[in-house]
């Protein structure tokens, strides 16, 4: 590492992933005993730590969809270099409550005191944690690491004799020996349907609100008393819902022994009409004292079972090899819970039923064997009451094939569905379905490790994992806290929210010159409005991005989208960049890795699955802590490249970064 000028690292994107790279650079630099100067440039128009999505000034009504005990940007022990500053979010929250961390605003301290480890914090509070973490890292950097913050967007990157020159939107430049792209959520082009709606809205003077980060939306643009169509019922929908109701002065009255939760309008609300392909919102998370149910134990989909494929030199398929193993765990979790809490739903003695099921699930056959699958199905049909049988795949479409005679009939069915979902969440580990979803969620973490970096065939990745399983597990395991489902049911009962129905069609009706929403499954129902909002984030596909920097990198041939071979070996562009194995250098259009350029986060979605999930506190580095391991791999590779330029290491035997 050069002792005079120093080695220069630019991290583009100063949100959670960029913060983790900063932490790993400082920690590894100290762990190796480096004496050369390291200059780290953080480049982001938003504050370092929170970045864009988690900035502290946003509405406190926007909640995380993980409990306090889950997230972190600092590793805990598994990596070689120990953290130099920072802690998991829950430890930080506890320290704020205890008074040992006092440099937080009073409103953040009040929220921290109101939470338990199992509660869901606001995104604003998590942003405060990230800002605090950055400040502590900056203080802990020491004399040999200098952190520079550039509050501007990077728009261009030029390669000059093996180094990089970044051009910022404010006209300044930053020269760097290594660059890390930790870009996070990027603006994206609309898909053809969205673009048509936007064009038609402009033609008729309508109001079309495209996908966006919720904190960026100007909710004041939406007038009270008007109808607004909302497409999408995932996590962004709940932000829209709560901001336009409670955020406008409405009040949720808690449930009593005789009445469910009730909503008292302020009179400032619009009327929301929501639709999504499945017709229902994401399912609520169960009320637990842990992230995963304590009673969930994966028996069949285990690391040792998954390693058998690699040990045999086999690249597995998801449907044939991996899903049958995980499905066994889901079935066992569901029916063992059912036998415990509802023994009357089992034909015969629950203990004998479970023994027979365990014998079938434990048979050593090809995982996807149709014969075994049929035997398991036949056994369950004989032993379990029909209304209590579990069809996991069908959970993705709760009303599939069901026709509704009227909008009123569908609203009633939706309210009953929401009430049942909230009731199941309240039961926690005593609800069979929530426990089955917990098993799915537990398997998701291991699945991330197995399929990373080419661990799944291309066709299976595209058509199976991303094609049907990802929408299923996101709708079941990535949902909001239960209070949001209870609130949605209350809003529906109050007539503030209505539902279009499954497979909705959104269009502009030239006759009325308004947006129109209908569902083929709900007879006689049509909704018209002059406002339509897309309740979703901009799509995470590098080929559709509108980031000035990423577009420039693609035009310059420094990065390219990854292609996979789909059906009949046809090349299919994926959502992420083409990269090497860790430490994830991008592959240029010439087919060669770009040296001293690294990628971390959402743009790795072509080689990793579940890139949007935060690092889990205390999780294994290759599973729930994968983002932190990736940051560590990148930091070590950067320091390895820097070391020959000057000062050597004081600490002998320091681990080398992967090639």
């Amino acid at each position: 590492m050069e002792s005079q000028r120093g080695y220069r690292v630019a991290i583009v994107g100063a949100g959670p992933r960029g913060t983790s790279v900063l932490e790993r650079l400082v920690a590894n630099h100290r762990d190796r005993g480096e004496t050369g100067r390291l200059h780290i440039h953080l480049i982001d128009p938003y504050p370092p730590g929170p970045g864009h999505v988690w900035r502290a000034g946003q509405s406190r009504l926007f909640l995380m969809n993980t409990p306090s005990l889950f997230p972190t940007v600092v590793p805990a022990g598994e990596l070689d270099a120990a953290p130099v500053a920072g802690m998991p979010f829950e430890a930080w929250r506890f320290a704020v409550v205890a008074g040992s961390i006092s440099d937080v605003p009073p409103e953040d301290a009040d929220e921290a005191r109101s939470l338990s480890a199992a509660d869901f914090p606001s995104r604003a509070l998590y942003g405060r944690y990230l800002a605090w973490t950055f400040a502590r890292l900056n203080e802990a950097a020491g004399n040999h690491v200098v952190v520079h913050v550039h509050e501007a967007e990077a728009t261009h990157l030029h390669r000059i004799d093996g180094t990089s020159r970044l051009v910022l939107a404010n006209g300044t430049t930053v020269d760097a020996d290594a660059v890390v792209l930790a870009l996070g959520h990027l603006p994206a082009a609309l898909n053809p349907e969205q673009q048509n709606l936007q064009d038609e809205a402009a033609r008729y003077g309508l109001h079309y609100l495209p996908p966006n980060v919720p904190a960026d939306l100007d909710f004041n643009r939406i007038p009270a008393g008007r109808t607004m169509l909302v497409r999408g019922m995932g996590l962004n929908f709940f932000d829209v819902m709560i901001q336009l109701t409670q955020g406008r002065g409405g009040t949720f009255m808690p449930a009593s022994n005789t009445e469910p939760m009730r909503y008292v309008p302020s009179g400032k609300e619009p009327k929301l009409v929501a639709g999504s392909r499945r017709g229902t919102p994401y399912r609520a998370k169960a009320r637990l004292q842990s992230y995963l149910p304590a009673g969930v134990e994966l028996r069949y989909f285990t690391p040792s079972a998954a390693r058998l494929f690699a040990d045999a030199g086999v690249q597995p398929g998801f449907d044939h090899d991996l899903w049958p193993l995980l499905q066994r765990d889901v079935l066992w979790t569901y029916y063992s819970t059912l036998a415990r809490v509802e023994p009357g739903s089992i034909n015969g003695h629950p203990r004998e039923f479970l023994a027979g099921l365990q014998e079938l699930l434990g048979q050593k056959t090809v995982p996807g064997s149709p014969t075994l699958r049929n035997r398991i199905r036949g056994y369950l049909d004989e032993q379990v009451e029909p209304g209590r049988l579990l069809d996991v795949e069908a959970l993705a479409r709760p009303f599939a094939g069901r026709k509704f005679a009227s909008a009123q009939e569908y609203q009633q069915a939706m309210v009953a569905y929401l009430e049942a979902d909230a009731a199941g969440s309240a039961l926690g580990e005593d609800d069979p379905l929530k426990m089955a979803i917990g098993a799915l969620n537990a398997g998701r973490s291991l699945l991330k490790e197995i399929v990373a970096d080419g661990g799944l065939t291309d066709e299976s990745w595209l058509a199976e994992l991303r094609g049907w399983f990802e929408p299923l597990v996101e709708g079941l395991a990535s949902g909001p806290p239960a209070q949001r489902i209870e609130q949605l049911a209350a809003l529906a009962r109050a007539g503030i929210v209505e539902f279009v129905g499954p497979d909705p069609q959104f269009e502009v009706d030239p006759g009325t010159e308004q947006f129109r929403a209908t569902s083929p499954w709900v007879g006689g129902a049509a909704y018209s409005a002059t406002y339509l909002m897309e309740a979703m984030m901009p799509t995470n596909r590098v080929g559709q991005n509108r980031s000035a920097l990423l577009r420039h990198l693609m035009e310059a041939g420094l990065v390219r989208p990854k292609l996979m071979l789909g059906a009949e070996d046809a090349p299919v562009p994926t959502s992420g960049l083409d990269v090497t194995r860790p430490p994830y250098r991008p592959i240029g259009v010439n087919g060669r890795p770009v040296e001293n350029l690294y990628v971390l986060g959402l743009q790795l979605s072509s080689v990793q699955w579940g890139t949007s999930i935060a690092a889990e506190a205390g999780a294994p580095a290759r599973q729930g802590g994968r983002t932190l391991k990736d940051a560590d791999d990148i930091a070590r590779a950067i320091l390895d490249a820097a070391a020959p330029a000057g000062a050597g290491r004081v600490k002998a035997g320091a681990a080398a970064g992967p090639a």
Side-chain angles (χ1 to χ4, degrees):
M1 190 175 296
E2 293 185 27
S3 57
Q4 299 300 317
R5 184 192 69 184
Y7 198 77
R8 304 160 302 177
V9 181
I11 303 173
V12 185
R17 291 169 181 83
T19 302
S20 290
V21 176
L22 170 65
E23 189 277 331
R24 289 290 82 202
L25 280 168
V26 175
N28 278 284
H29 189 272
R30 180 174 299 183
D31 184 67
R32 295 177 177 211
E34 299 281 11
T35 56
R37 188 172 294 274
L38 182 67
H39 290 273
I40 303 175
H41 297 264
L42 284 175
I43 302 171
D44 198 318
Y46 295 96
H52 184 189
V53 172
W54 304 100
R55 56 193 189 275
Q58 63 188 289
S59 170
R60 206 169 290 274
L61 294 173
F62 296 155
L63 301 183
M64 299 183 71
N65 74 320
T66 54
S68 289
L69 56 87
F70 182 87
T72 188
V73 290
V74 178
E78 258 200 285
L79 303 176
D80 289 342
V84 296
M87 60 187 73
F89 174 77
E90 175 57 11
W92 174 86
R93 186 194 69 82
F94 189 80
V96 170
V97 172
S100 55
I101 293 177
S102 56
D103 54 340
V104 297
E107 58 270 23
D108 291 312
D110 289 343
E111 182 185 343
R113 280 188 289 270
S114 73
L115 298 171
S116 71
D119 289 330
F120 293 76
S122 70
R123 294 205 284 273
L125 186 64
Y126 189 61
R128 187 67 63 192
Y129 155 76
L130 293 170
W132 179 90
T133 301
F134 167 74
R136 299 293 85 76
L137 287 172
N138 201 14
E139 292 173 0
N143 296 329
H144 299 297
V145 179
V146 182
V147 179
H148 310 266
V149 176
H150 305 267
E151 294 183 2
E153 179 185 1
T155 60
H156 293 76
L157 185 152
H158 302 289
R159 299 284 287 182
I160 305 171
D161 297 328
T163 63
S164 298
R165 172 163 293 170
L166 287 152
V167 180
L168 309 189
N170 61 9
T172 62
T173 60
V174 175
D175 291 338
D177 301 294
V179 176
V180 182
L181 302 175
L183 302 176
H185 288 283
L186 298 175
L190 301 179
N191 65 35
E193 183 184 5
Q194 293 167 341
Q195 187 63 58
N196 180 64
L197 285 169
Q198 187 175 67
D199 293 343
E200 290 290 282
R203 178 181 178 184
Y204 292 108
L206 305 176
H207 304 274
Y208 176 77
L209 286 74
N212 212 334
V213 176
D216 290 347
L217 288 169
D218 180 7
F219 288 95
N220 292 324
R221 292 175 54 189
I222 302 161
R226 301 284 289 275
T227 297
M228 183 173 74
L229 305 181
V230 183
R231 178 157 61 176
M233 297 176 71
L235 297 176
N236 279 30
F237 167 75
F238 293 99
D239 294 335
V240 173
M241 174 197 86
I242 203 69
Q243 194 65 30
L244 292 174
T245 55
Q246 187 176 355
R248 291 194 171 185
T251 305
F252 290 98
M253 306 301 293
S256 67
N257 292 332
T258 57
E259 291 187 357
M261 178 184 286
R262 184 167 58 91
Y263 180 71
V264 180
S266 67
K268 300 177 183 178
E269 303 89 348
K271 179 177 180 178
L272 305 180
V273 179
S276 67
R277 281 177 296 177
R278 73 186 72 202
T280 59
Y282 282 15
R283 283 189 178 269
K285 286 189 167 63
R287 297 189 190 277
L288 303 168
Q289 295 305 308
S290 55
Y291 176 62
L292 296 172
V296 168
E297 177 187 3
L298 298 182
R299 299 177 169 210
Y300 307 101
F301 187 55
T302 62
S304 59
R307 276 196 298 269
L308 293 177
F309 297 104
D311 292 345
V314 173
Q315 192 177 37
F318 180 74
D319 281 8
H320 184 269
D321 300 312
L322 302 180
W323 171 238
L325 294 173
L326 178 53
Q327 187 181 36
R328 294 183 196 193
D329 280 307
V330 174
L331 292 175
W332 174 257
T333 303
Y334 176 86
Y335 288 109
S336 61
T337 306
L338 184 69
R340 174 171 60 84
V341 300
E342 297 180 35
S345 63
I346 306 299
N347 297 326
H349 197 285
R351 187 180 300 112
E352 295 174 359
F353 160 71
L354 291 178
L357 180 60
Q358 187 172 21
E359 191 278 328
L360 281 171
L361 294 177
Q363 288 190 9
K364 305 295 184 183
T365 64
V366 176
S369 166
T371 301
L372 178 59
R373 186 167 59 244
N374 291 336
R375 288 178 61 197
I376 294 171
R377 184 181 297 118
Y379 179 78
L380 293 172
D381 287 343
E382 290 177 0
Q383 298 293 323
V384 181
E385 291 295 318
R388 301 304 285 146
L389 289 166
L390 175 66
D391 183 343
V392 183
E393 291 93 332
L395 294 174
R397 303 297 294 261
F399 296 131
R402 181 177 170 185
K403 277 285 221 178
F404 297 88
S406 66
Q408 182 181 9
E409 183 181 339
Y410 187 65
Q411 306 314 309
Q412 292 171 348
M414 273 296 298
V415 170
Y417 173 88
L418 295 170
E419 290 173 343
D421 188 42
S425 292
L427 291 173
E429 297 209 18
D430 287 337
D431 184 80
L433 180 55
K434 297 294 180 178
M435 286 292 282
I437 292 171
L440 268 177
N441 204 11
R444 181 167 61 168
S445 182
L446 176 57
L447 187 60
K448 285 178 62 177
E449 176 186 0
I450 295 169
V451 304
D453 305 318
L456 197 67
T457 65
D458 285 4
E459 187 172 355
S460 180
W461 177 284
L462 294 168
E464 299 168 359
L465 180 69
R466 300 295 301 270
W468 72 266
F469 182 73
E470 181 175 276
L472 169 71
V473 76
E474 284 188 351
L476 296 177
S478 296
Q483 72 192 75
R484 288 291 185 252
I485 295 294
E486 295 169 358
Q487 290 166 337
L488 178 56
L491 290 168
R493 287 190 292 267
I496 302 295
V497 176
E498 291 189 25
F499 307 98
V500 180
D503 300 315
Q505 181 177 358
F506 292 86
E507 59 189 348
V508 173
D509 183 352
T512 62
E513 299 187 355
Q514 292 192 351
F515 293 114
R516 186 171 184 265
T518 57
S519 166
W521 302 99
V522 182
Y527 298 90
S528 296
T530 57
Y531 286 80
L532 170 59
M533 175 182 287
E534 305 279 9
M536 58 193 74
M537 297 290 278
T539 184
N540 176 38
R541 297 190 67 86
V542 295
Q544 293 175 242
N545 86 87
R546 283 188 170 171
S547 157
L549 176 61
L550 190 53
R551 298 302 300 176
H552 170 73
L553 289 169
M554 295 179 74
E555 291 165 2
L558 293 171
V559 302
R560 65 184 186 186
K562 181 178 176 63
L563 297 178
M564 286 187 176
L565 296 180
E568 300 179 356
D569 291 334
V572 177
T574 66
S575 58
L577 294 174
D578 196 1
V579 294
T580 66
R581 290 182 179 274
Y584 294 129
R585 297 179 177 93
I587 295 175
V589 293
N590 60 8
R592 294 197 296 269
V594 180
E595 293 301 316
N596 299 317
L597 185 61
Y598 305 90
V599 181
L600 180 67
L602 299 184
Q603 287 72 44
L604 294 177
S605 59
S606 57
V607 293
Q608 288 190 16
W609 180 65
T611 53
S612 62
I613 302 173
E616 180 182 356
R622 292 186 177 275
Q623 294 181 24
R626 180 61 192 258
T627 294
L628 303 181
K629 181 185 182 302
D630 291 341
D632 192 64
D633 289 341
I634 290 171
R636 291 164 56 209
I638 288 172
L639 295 175
D640 284 348
R649 301 170 187 164
V650 173
K651 182 177 179 179

